[in-house]
């Protein structure tokens, strides 16, 4: 264990812990924009700077490991002044249109600007403006709002293992881009969207569906497959407007495109609510008991006339293991055939 | 085969990049051709040898040619192919050097106060021939180190010499090697940093072009000291001649067993690969350089861990500058005491500078650390061009600062330059005179760093852009009250919070010009005047009544039609129409146009 003090408070943490993690373990807040606990430390936003006694310049707490007897100060007038300068700089190159931004109320940048009271900005000048829109089907990429925190790049590379995006250009013109600035064409897992601290990355389907303050969050399990990822439905007026996932789920907050973006069917008017029975080529609504009886009698007839191997069962990846187990049991023991298969194998 | 007769005529043509640019190849070809053409005198043709010589520093006078006849050397300057015939006729044949083309007093002065270590063999040996390097003692140091010294002894010797890194930060080289040696790892690397991205710096290029084997020898010594078996030279692709000579030298060194498996039968194996950089300034920063070699975007990362602990592919890695490494063989050959006898207490040895700007003798110089700046400017540099007044000396390139003329008596070493707010850096030295605008100089360097920022961290990416924008509006006459304070405050925050050396030093040119030339900034902002008459938007052109003869020259050249006036009458410039191009100023023979 390494013993150090943070703001005069004694703290003990294992060797290799960063100052940021040490401070957070002691419930001492440090502002960050580019840090994510699951991603490689980056050191890009510089907001997490702290003073360490004996070092003549501020150090970034997210990248600096603790050392024995270190004396850390997380908030001094000099440090807070520099943090404010950094925020002013970021906002001097930002559209600042929280008024209509999808992310307002849930935006790390907006939050910091609020707490640091950045109303007047000493800096004005050129702002990055991009005309073209990314026409991919799922992710709205508004790079004018991007603060180059690099989280999307890291999550795509380190968690998803895809590497669909990286930083292109230099200096002020640096920009997160898919190769050759083409439209994003990737797995659309949306991991990048989930870590983006600003409104630079949002779901296309989220647009004008309601902001976070009006949302009721409902934790549930994704219905798509047997992985059973924990998801959180963002519900407004009894309508799902967004899906996210919490870090403490078994899937650690990461989802696949179906789980993250495939929720619009829930409110689709074309969804079935009751069983339909086809008679003379035309569907009519029916009750569950009627439908069940029909299935039992039809299967019984077929089995009697042609034998059990004339029947086959196709199970679904959207069922759980238990459901699939039961289904094969049903096919083998009740129907009496081994004709049982699963869409995931196709 | 006849015995080769000892030559009594040697012709040496300067073939550094400067020499080649000035026509060195052609000059040498004409020498070869004309000497051959006079083949009747078989003795001359047979006895003359023509070396391709590396850069000797005084590029402003290229093409430089040495003619050594019976041991007497005459150096010619500004030689063009059509001058060769006369040199051969009068000097080689007639025995009378063409004195009017020979270098003058300033050429000798240029060399007298210099102490050449790294550059000692540049210009004298043939960089394309390993035997030429061996004949001056080359590879002795390596042989000694791997056969007779332990790594600890080698490191102790380098530490004792006091050698500090020439790449900018001045970190003691022996200490760096010692730390790397002490780290346990299955594999270690040594990298030679030949990225040389500072605008105006070309010492590393010149060393590799003029004496590539010294760099290879220095690297191999370093590798044996730290226990590395692989090395890289990271060199920008814009240096084709240096790359070519380095490749050639690596091949020759391998053939002679100075590189490769089991070097000189010692059991030590080491080899060097060349990695071409795409010319991003930030790739000279060591962690960005490593990322670039690994095939990633050249972006710095936070330290610690330092490369000596976790460098290339996560292994302990020493990164040294070209000049640092080229010093190594000479230090081992001549001893630590010899090297430490040059310089000051904390800055030992010599340093190569690229002396440019408003100076008579511009070029590469090598001086002992601790030399007074005044001696560099007036004795070596020959003073200011056109006898103008010196205003400042900018050292350290875009990471450095300006030293005002009042401080010309300071010594040039790591500590003393740091004390006045500048740095030795990679060794850029730009002399500025009264016609240079300091706001404009600061703007020039900021333009460079701003465009070379990698974009990773906020203060550098956006901060340098804002600094530049403020400087731009000041030079355009749109400066606001409080801009100087805003510049200072932002500059200090950028210095304190940027991730890597680029952002941490980028504000230096701004801060040091404000420190010493605040009045010039104020003049731009409050009086909307550029005292040096450089910033176009702040200039106005007027016809001086008393001098105007009414010749109409100004009227004819003015592209905007701003000048009116009848012949033989005093002319008038309409300030509303004038585009401030200065054409009238240049055209008037009677100095009747006032600029200010
Ligand atoms: C932006 C930046 C650019 C640099 N460029 C170079 C360079 O071109 N050549 C170089 O040798 N060192 C350069 N350096 C310094 C290197 O990071 C490193 O300190 C040096 O190569 C170490 O070698 P030395 O100890 O021999 O000086 C640069 C540093 C920074 C921050
Ligand atoms: S990204 Fe955040 S700060 Fe920017 S406009 Fe949207 S809500 Fe506002
Ligand atoms: S959606 Fe997933 S795969 Fe696509 S860029 Fe984002 S993280 Fe990478
Ligand atoms: S898009 Fe979002 S996550 Fe990616 S760099 Fe920009 S702000 Fe960060
Ligand atoms: S569909 Fe995707 S998000 Fe849903 S459970 Fe399966 S893997 Fe998870
Ligand atoms: S200081 Fe500049 S060059 Fe260095 S990491 Fe930050 S943005 Fe990149
Ligand atoms: S959180 Fe540490 S630099 Fe961004
Ligand atoms: S930045 Fe492109 S979708 Fe992430």
């Amino acid at each position: 264990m390494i013993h150090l003090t943070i703001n005069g408070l004694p703290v003990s943490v294992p060797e290799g812990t960063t100052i940021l993690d040490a401070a957070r373990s002691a419930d001492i807040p440090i502002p960050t924009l580019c840090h994510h606990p699951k991603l490689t430390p980056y050191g890009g936003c510089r907001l997490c700077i702290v003073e360490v006694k004996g070092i003549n310049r501020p150090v970034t707490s997210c990248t600096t490991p603790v050392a024995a007897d270190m004396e850390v100060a997380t908030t001094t007038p000099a440090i807070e002044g520099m943090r404010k300068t950094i925020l002013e700089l970021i906002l001097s190159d930002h559209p600042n249109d929280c008024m209509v931004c999808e992310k307002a109320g849930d935006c790390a940048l907006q939050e910091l600007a609020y707490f640091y009271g950045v109303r007047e900005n000493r800096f004005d000048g050129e702002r990055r403006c991009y005309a073209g829109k990314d026409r991919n089907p799922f992710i709205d990429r508004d790079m004018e709002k991007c603060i180059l925190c690099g989280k999307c790049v890291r999550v795509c590379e380190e968690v998803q293992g895809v590497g669909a995006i990286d930083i292109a250009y230099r200096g002020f013109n640096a920009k997160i881009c898919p190769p050759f600035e083409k439209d994003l064409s990737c797995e659309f897992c949306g991991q990048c969207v989930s870590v983006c601290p600003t409104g630079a990355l949002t779901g296309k389907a989220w647009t004008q569906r309601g902001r976070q303050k009006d949302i009721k969050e409902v934790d549930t399990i994704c219905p798509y497959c047997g992985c059973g990822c924990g998801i959180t439905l963002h519900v407004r007026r009894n309508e799902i407007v967004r899906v996210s996932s919490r870090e403490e789920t078994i899937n650690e907050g990461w989802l696949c495109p179906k789980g993250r973006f495939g929720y619009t069917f829930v409110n689709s008017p074309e969804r079935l609510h009751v069983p339909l029975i086809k008679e003379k080529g035309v569907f009519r609504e029916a009750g569950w008991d009627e439908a069940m009886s029909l299935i039992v009698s039809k299967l019984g007839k077929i089995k009697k006339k042609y034998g059990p191997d004339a029947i086959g069962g196709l199970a679904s990846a959207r069922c759980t293991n238990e459901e699939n187990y039961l289904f094969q049991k049903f096919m083998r023991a009740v129907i009496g055939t081994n004709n049982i298969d699963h869409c995931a194998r196709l | 085969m006849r015995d080769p007769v000892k030559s009594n005529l040697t012709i040496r043509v300067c073939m550094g990049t400067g020499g080649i640019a000035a026509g060195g190849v052609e000059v040498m070809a004409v020498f070869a051709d004309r000497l051959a053409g006079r083949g009747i005198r078989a003795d001359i043709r047979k006895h003359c040898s023509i070396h391709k010589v590396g850069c000797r520093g005084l590029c402003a006078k290229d093409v430089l040619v040495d003619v050594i006849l019976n041991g007497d050397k005459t150096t010619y300057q500004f030689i063009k192919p059509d001058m060769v015939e006369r040199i051969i006729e009068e000097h080689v044949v007639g025995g009378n050097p063409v004195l009017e083309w020979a270098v003058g007093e300033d050429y000798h002065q240029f060399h007298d106060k210099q102490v050449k270590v790294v550059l000692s063999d540049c210009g004298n040996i043939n960089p394309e021939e390993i035997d030429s390097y061996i004949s001056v003692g080359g590879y002795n140091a390596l042989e000694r180190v791997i056969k007779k010294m332990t790594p600890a002894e080698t490191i102790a010797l380098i530490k004792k010499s006091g050698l500090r890194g020439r790449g900018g930060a001045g970190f003691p080289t022996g200490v760096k090697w010692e730390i790397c040696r002490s780290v346990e790892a299955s594999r270690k690397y040594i990298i030679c940093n030949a990225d040389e991205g500072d605008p105006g710096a070309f010492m590393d290029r010149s060393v590799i072009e003029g004496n590539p084997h010294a760099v290879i020898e220095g690297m191999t010594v370093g590798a044996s000291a730290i226990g590395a078996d692989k090395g890289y030279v990271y060199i920008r692709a814009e240096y084709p001649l240096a790359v070519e000579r380095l490749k050639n030298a690596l091949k020759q060194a391998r053939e002679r067993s100075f590189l490769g498996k089991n070097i000189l039968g010692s059991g030590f194996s080491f080899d060097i690969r060349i990695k071409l950089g795409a010319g991003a300034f930030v790739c000279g920063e060591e962690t960005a350089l490593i990322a670039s070699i690994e095939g990633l975007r050249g972006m710095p990362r936070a330290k610690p861990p330092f490369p000596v602990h976790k460098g290339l592919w996560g292994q302990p890695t020493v990164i040294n500058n070209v000049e640092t490494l080229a010093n190594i063989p000479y230090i081992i050959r001549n001893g630590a005491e010899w090297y430490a006898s040059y310089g000051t207490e904390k800055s030992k040895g010599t340093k190569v500078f690229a002396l440019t700007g408003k100076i008579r003798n511009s070029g590469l110089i090598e001086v002992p650390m601790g030399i007074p700046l005044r001696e560099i400017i007036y004795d070596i540099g020959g003073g200011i061009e056109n006898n103008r007044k010196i205003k400042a000396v900018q050292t350290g390139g875009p990471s450095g600062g300006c030293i005002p003329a009042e401080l010309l008596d300071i010594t040039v070493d790591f500590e003393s330059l740091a004390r006045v707010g500048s740095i030795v850096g990679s060794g850029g030295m730009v002399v500025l005179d009264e016609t240079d605008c300091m706001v404009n100089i600061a703007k020039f360097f900021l333009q460079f760093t701003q465009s070379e920022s990698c974009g990773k961290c906020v203060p550098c990416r956006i901060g340098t852009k804002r600094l530049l924008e403020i400087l731009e509006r000041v030079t355009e006459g749109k400066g606001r009250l409080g801009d100087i304070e805003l510049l200072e405050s932002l500059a200090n925050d950028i210095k304190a919070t940027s991730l890597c050396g680029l952002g941490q030093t980028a504000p230096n040119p701004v801060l040091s010009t404000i420190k010493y030339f605040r009045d010039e900034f104020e003049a731009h902002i409050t009086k909307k005047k550029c005292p040096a008459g450089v910033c176009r938007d702040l200039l106005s052109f007027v016809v001086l009544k008393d001098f105007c003869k009414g010749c109409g020259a100004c009227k004819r050249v003015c592209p905007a039609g701003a000048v009116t006036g009848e012949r033989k009458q005093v002319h008038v410039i309409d300030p509303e129409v004038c585009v401030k191009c200065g054409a009238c100023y240049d055209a008037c023979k009677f100095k009747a146009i006032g600029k200010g």
Side-chain angles (χ1 to χ4, degrees):
Chain A
M1 289 299 257
I2 304 279
H3 307 283
L4 68 156
T5 64
I6 305 182
N7 299 344
L9 213 77
V11 179
S12 301
V13 287
E15 197 180 334
T17 309
T18 60
I19 298 177
L20 178 67
D21 287 341
R24 289 190 170 169
S25 75
D27 211 18
I28 297 168
I30 295 176
T32 63
L33 275 176
C34 71
H35 177 76
H36 190 286
K38 295 235 173 64
L39 304 176
T40 320
Y42 191 63
C45 75
R46 318 304 287 171
L47 276 173
C48 69
I49 46 170
V50 294
E51 269 174 23
V52 174
K53 195 168 168 198
I55 300 180
N56 64 359
R57 56 164 44 250
V59 302
T60 41
S61 58
C62 70
T63 61
T64 313
V66 293
D69 301 324
M70 213 178 216
E71 292 176 35
V72 179
T74 63
T75 167
T76 67
I79 290 287
E80 297 299 358
M82 289 184 242
R83 286 185 184 143
K84 192 163 177 184
T85 301
I86 290 167
L87 286 170
E88 277 179 274
L89 288 172
I90 296 177
L91 293 170
S92 73
D93 180 31
H94 196 80
N96 297 328
D97 61 353
C98 308
M99 204 83 88
V100 290
C101 184
E102 209 50 57
K103 195 81 169 179
D106 189 28
C107 171
L109 179 59
Q110 194 190 41
E111 195 74 355
L112 283 166
Y114 167 76
F115 278 112
Y116 279 84
V118 189
R119 161 159 281 183
E120 260 88 59
N121 196 326
R122 291 173 296 160
F123 310 111
D124 47 13
E126 189 186 334
R127 183 165 79 67
R128 289 163 303 150
C129 292
Y130 303 115
K133 277 266 162 211
D134 192 320
R135 287 160 302 179
N136 79 74
F138 295 110
I139 300 174
D140 214 336
R141 303 178 59 243
D142 184 350
M143 289 301 110
E144 294 181 14
K145 288 181 182 162
C146 170
I147 59 167
L148 273 302
C149 72
K151 280 192 206 172
C152 54
V153 176
R154 277 174 290 152
V155 82
C156 189
E157 174 70 32
E158 297 171 16
V159 174
Q160 200 62 18
V162 170
I165 43 179
D166 205 340
I167 306 179
Y169 306 108
R170 264 186 237 164
F172 189 74
N173 299 318
K175 184 184 179 192
I176 311 284
C177 297
F180 310 109
E181 288 199 74
K182 294 209 174 114
D183 290 344
L184 184 64
S185 162
C186 61
E187 301 190 348
F188 296 113
C189 63
Q191 255 61 286
C192 52
V193 179
S194 74
V195 295
C196 181
T198 70
L201 300 181
T202 54
K204 284 199 166 160
W206 305 355
T207 312
Q208 292 170 342
R209 289 287 174 137
R211 293 197 287 205
Q212 202 55 24
K213 69 175 173 49
D214 303 321
I215 292 297
K216 190 169 125 211
E217 293 190 357
V218 181
D219 290 336
T220 181
I221 302 293
C222 174
Y224 270 108
C225 84
C227 291
C229 293
I231 58 175
T232 302
L233 306 178
H234 296 230
V235 180
R236 178 173 173 267
R237 297 176 170 231
N238 208 28
E239 190 192 337
I240 301 172
V241 297
R242 184 158 54 239
V243 169
S244 68
S245 180
R246 297 186 200 279
E247 237 178 273
E248 44 310 337
T249 52
I250 51 143
N251 43 305
E252 303 187 8
W254 312 127
L255 294 175
C256 85
K258 291 179 286 181
R260 188 169 321 265
F261 296 120
Y263 58 84
T264 44
F265 73 91
V266 177
N267 296 104
S268 167
E270 289 171 20
R271 248 186 98 176
L272 293 184
H273 299 280
V274 290
L276 301 180
I277 293 175
K278 201 179 215 173
E279 280 168 353
K280 295 181 182 132
V282 185
F283 279 118
R284 71 164 170 83
E285 291 189 355
W288 283 107
D289 285 343
E290 189 193 357
M292 283 299 179
S293 311
L294 184 68
I295 292 168
V296 170
S297 86
K298 288 272 185 195
L299 283 179
K301 270 187 206 155
I302 295 169
K303 187 175 161 185
K304 209 164 163 194
K305 189 164 172 195
Y306 302 104
D309 281 341
I311 302 171
L314 280 178
S316 167
R318 293 179 64 167
C319 301
T320 61
N321 264 351
E322 292 79 358
E323 287 160 344
N324 276 318
Y325 174 81
L326 281 177
F327 190 58
Q328 64 85 31
K329 197 83 184 166
F330 168 76
M331 289 305 287
R332 291 196 167 107
V334 180
I335 306 283
T337 177
N338 285 329
N339 290 343
I340 167 82
D341 213 333
H342 184 286
C343 68
R345 206 184 62 83
L346 298 180
Chain B
M1 280 280 279
R2 254 175 301 166
D3 274 354
V5 190
K6 187 105 177 87
S7 156
N8 70 344
L9 170 68
T10 308
I11 309 274
R12 298 195 300 205
V13 182
C14 187
M15 289 287 242
T17 299
I20 289 179
V25 176
E26 294 76 21
V27 170
M28 196 168 85
V30 177
F31 263 111
D33 183 57
R34 295 295 156 80
L35 287 168
R38 294 166 179 261
I40 341 142
R41 298 183 177 81
D43 52 333
I44 295 178
R45 188 181 67 169
K46 262 191 203 138
H47 297 290
C48 87
S49 68
I50 299 179
H51 286 333
K52 290 185 185 172
V53 166
C55 181
R56 62 180 88 195
L58 208 50
C59 299
K61 299 193 182 300
D62 267 324
V63 177
L64 285 161
V65 177
D66 288 340
V67 176
I68 305 163
L69 189 59
N70 299 319
D72 288 335
K73 182 170 94 175
T74 306
T75 304
Y76 292 103
Q77 59 188 14
F78 305 118
I79 295 308
K80 300 259 163 295
D82 58 10
M83 298 158 83
V84 169
E85 184 61 36
R86 185 168 155 204
I87 293 175
I88 293 176
E89 180 65 35
E90 293 181 19
H91 187 171
V92 177
V93 181
N96 300 313
V98 188
L99 290 178
E100 53 180 298
W101 292 346
V103 294
E105 181 61 19
D106 56 347
Y107 179 83
H108 297 294
Q109 252 192 6
F110 181 79
H111 289 289
D112 282 351
K113 289 236 166 150
Q114 299 194 44
V115 175
K116 305 233 174 158
V117 176
V118 178
L119 299 180
S120 57
D121 292 320
C122 288
N124 294 322
I125 60 168
N126 181 347
E128 292 178 356
E129 195 37 71
I130 192 168
D131 285 321
S132 187
Y133 180 60
I134 292 175
S135 73
V136 294
Y139 288 108
N140 273 346
L142 174 63
E143 188 161 0
R144 170 124 52 98
V145 162
I146 57 174
K147 289 194 172 161
K148 302 210 178 98
M149 292 167 74
T150 64
E153 283 167 350
T154 308
I155 290 172
L157 191 151
I158 299 302
K159 274 171 79 174
K160 199 163 155 209
S161 75
L163 174 66
R164 290 167 61 177
R166 293 327 195 210
F171 191 84
T173 306
V175 176
K176 195 185 269 189
W177 290 9
E178 190 170 45
I179 301 172
C180 190
R181 165 143 206 99
S182 72
V183 182
E184 294 276 341
S186 55
R187 175 153 246 180
K188 291 177 189 174
Y189 296 96
I190 185 165
I191 298 173
C192 169
N193 188 344
D195 190 52
E196 196 162 62
D198 283 19
F202 58 105
M203 51 287 282
D204 293 348
R205 188 195 73 205
S206 300
V207 169
I208 293 181
E209 287 177 359
N211 194 358
H213 285 288
V215 181
I216 295 172
E217 189 178 4
M219 267 183 95
T220 314
V221 168
S224 78
I226 63 169
D229 64 349
K230 251 187 156 175
Y232 287 86
V233 178
Y234 187 87
I235 182 167
R236 50 180 50 222
E238 291 99 323
Y239 282 178
L241 180 63
V243 172
E244 184 194 308
R245 290 197 169 155
L246 192 60
K247 275 190 187 154
N248 174 58
L250 287 173
K251 188 165 146 267
Q252 293 176 344
R254 278 183 206 115
E255 284 162 9
R256 301 294 182 91
S257 185
F258 295 127
L259 273 182
K261 283 214 161 54
N262 193 14
I263 294 175
L264 299 173
S266 65
F268 168 64
S269 300
F270 173 70
D271 211 337
I272 297 174
R273 289 177 65 176
I274 296 177
K275 175 82 195 172
L276 294 186
F281 177 52
V282 72
C283 284
E285 197 281 338
E286 45 193 14
T287 58
L289 188 154
I290 288 172
S292 174
I293 294 184
E294 289 175 349
L296 303 169
R297 177 177 160 95
M299 267 196 331
R301 62 154 174 78
K303 297 183 273 191
F306 290 91
V308 281
H309 294 286
K310 257 178 185 277
L312 186 61
W313 316 115
Q315 302 298 321
T317 303
V318 158
I319 300 179
N320 277 131
N321 166 260
V322 172
E323 193 185 327
T324 314
L325 290 166
N327 267 303
I328 301 287
Y330 297 94
I331 295 175
I332 289 173
R333 251 187 264 159
N334 302 314
E337 292 81 7
W338 164 81
Y339 191 76
S341 71
Y342 297 110
T344 66
E345 200 199 324
K346 288 187 173 159
S347 304
K348 297 295 186 197
T350 59
K351 173 79 190 98
V352 181
F353 287 94
L355 187 60
T356 56
K358 307 291 171 53
I359 187 99
R360 276 211 188 88
N361 303 330
S362 61
L364 273 197
I365 60 167
E366 183 171 358
V367 290
M369 286 281 193
I371 187 177
L373 183 54
R374 186 177 294 283
E375 287 183 20
I376 294 185
I377 306 300
Y378 287 98
D379 298 342
I380 298 173
I384 312 304
E385 265 183 346
N386 305 321
N387 291 318
R388 289 215 186 90
K389 233 178 83 196
I390 183 169
K391 190 182 214 172
V393 180
Q394 208 282 348
T395 69
S399 317
C402 288
I403 301 161
E406 310 89 83
L407 294 179
L408 223 48
D409 287 311
I410 61 162
T411 57
V412 174
D413 52 77
F414 288 117
E415 286 71 32
S416 119
L417 290 194
R419 226 173 289 130
V420 299
S422 190
I423 57 166
V424 173
S426 59
M429 196 173 267
V430 187
V431 180
L432 308 168
D433 71 11
E434 54 203 354
T435 63
D436 287 304
C437 165
M438 300 313 283
V439 186
N440 199 48
I441 294 289
K443 190 174 82 174
F444 168 81
F445 283 111
L446 242 291
Q447 261 159 356
F448 177 78
T449 33
Q450 188 266 327
S451 64
E452 291 292 329
S453 156
C454 83
K456 178 169 181 173
C457 71
V458 175
C460 174
R461 180 179 77 243
I462 311 178
T464 57
K465 172 86 176 169
R466 298 295 173 242
L467 276 184
L468 176 62
E469 285 169 338
I470 299 171
L471 289 170
E472 277 168 354
R473 72 178 180 235
V474 168
T475 56
E476 284 163 8
K478 296 176 197 146
R480 308 169 191 163
L481 283 179
D483 269 355
I484 301 179
E485 292 72 20
L486 188 59
L487 282 171
E488 285 176 317
S489 151
L490 176 57
N492 283 320
D493 284 349
I494 295 172
K495 269 178 78 110
T497 58
S498 287
L499 192 163
C500 86
L502 194 155
Q504 288 163 11
T505 58
N508 287 350
V510 181
L511 286 171
S512 82
T513 46
I514 295 183
K515 180 170 170 194
Y516 296 114
F517 301 94
R518 201 180 185 97
D519 51 341
E520 261 187 64
F521 281 77
E522 280 163 358
H524 282 76
I525 295 170
T526 51
K527 300 200 196 98
K528 308 286 177 209
K529 283 282 164 211
C530 173
V534 172
C535 300
R536 255 181 65 172
D537 292 304
L538 302 183
L539 287 182
S540 54
F541 290 86
V542 286
V543 177
L544 305 172
K545 278 201 233 65
D546 298 344
F547 296 94
C548 178
K549 304 262 183 277
C551 71
C554 51
K555 193 169 146 184
R556 280 193 296 279
V557 295
C558 179
V563 188
T564 48
E566 296 300 315
R567 274 199 76 78
K568 309 236 163 141
Q569 301 288 313
V570 172
H571 283 49
V572 182
I573 299 174
D574 182 347
E576 297 293 312
V577 184
C578 171
V579 293
K580 298 168 184 179
C581 65
C584 56
Y585 182 86
D586 296 333
C588 180
K589 278 189 282 210
F590 307 103
K591 296 210 183 315
I593 309 278
K595 175 169 91 165

